[in-house]
Amino acid sequence: MVVDSAPYICKLVPEQAFRLISGAIGSLIEKTSGNESSGECWASDTKPRPLEVGWLQVGDGTSQEHLNFLMNGRRDLYTRHGGVRLPADLGTGMAARVSNSPLDDQPYRVSAKFRCGGKDRMIDIYLSQVVKGRDAMKDLIALMRIAQKRYSDVYECTRGK
């Protein structure tokens, strides 16, 4: 079961849940670039990166149209790969296993556009692997649920408003 508990990787993903889902056992050294408005974080520097998290919000140079464009592109890609829609309480988005593409190094992907603090935000979570026998889509959705809750706590915004 995916549980929300500290410590967190990239501020948004519980380390214990990530290790359970991915089977990662080595040390995780995270690298972050960007700021509250736009950034990415990954752990660790090995190829492929076992975890990558990206975030973006409308404002500070990012238009609503650009955020919508990015989300629509992800939705189209995930749909072509048999993706599943996220529950409505997570905003709009999908989870998918994207194979046979340039994205093969991190095929497990979940992306969501949601409201927080009166602005549209987007979070992407990419994994290089999921433990055999686990329900990857269910796990990705659970990680997104935790990431959005953590995002609202870390950046002090109210989800859904």
Side-chain angles (χ1 to χ4, degrees):
M1 178 177 202
V2 177
V3 177
D4 184 1
S5 64
Y8 295 93
I9 306 168
C10 299
K11 297 183 182 178
L12 304 179
V13 177
E15 181 177 351
Q16 182 181 356
F18 166 70
R19 289 183 184 280
L20 175 72
I21 293 166
S22 70
I25 53 174
S27 64
L28 297 170
I29 300 167
E30 67 182 66
K31 305 271 185 178
T32 303
S33 66
N35 55 38
E36 175 184 347
S37 299
S38 171
E40 68 177 341
C41 176
W42 57 91
S44 101
D45 274 341
T46 59
K47 293 288 183 186
R49 293 175 177 160
L51 170 70
E52 188 168 342
V53 179
W55 59 93
L56 186 64
Q57 77 177 29
V58 170
D60 294 335
T62 300
S63 69
Q64 183 69 51
E65 293 76 22
H66 183 67
L67 190 78
N68 291 343
F69 173 79
L70 293 174
M71 193 66 232
N72 289 338
R74 285 161 175 72
R75 191 176 314 122
D76 290 347
L77 175 67
Y78 296 177
T79 298
R80 287 195 309 273
H81 289 271
V84 297
R85 289 187 186 277
L86 300 182
D89 66 308
L90 295 179
T92 59
M94 296 183 82
R97 181 174 184 272
V98 178
S99 58
N100 301 319
S101 80
L103 308 175
D104 269 349
D105 61 337
Q106 293 172 316
Y108 297 96
R109 297 173 166 254
V110 60
S111 299
K113 181 177 82 170
F114 62 104
R115 303 255 327 146
C116 199
K119 294 181 181 179
D120 276 350
R121 323 281 176 131
M122 187 168 75
I123 294 176
D124 296 308
I125 302 172
Y126 304 149
L127 303 177
S128 62
Q129 66 184 27
V130 170
V131 171
K132 187 175 182 176
R134 291 199 61 87
D135 184 334
M137 298 306 107
K138 182 179 175 184
D139 287 343
L140 288 168
I141 291 168
L143 285 180
M144 180 57 72
R145 186 174 304 285
I146 293 166
Q148 285 187 18
K149 180 182 179 300
R150 285 284 304 157
Y151 184 97
S152 71
D153 291 346
V154 169
Y155 296 115
E156 300 176 350
C157 61
T158 304
R159 282 186 308 148
K161 299 190 184 220

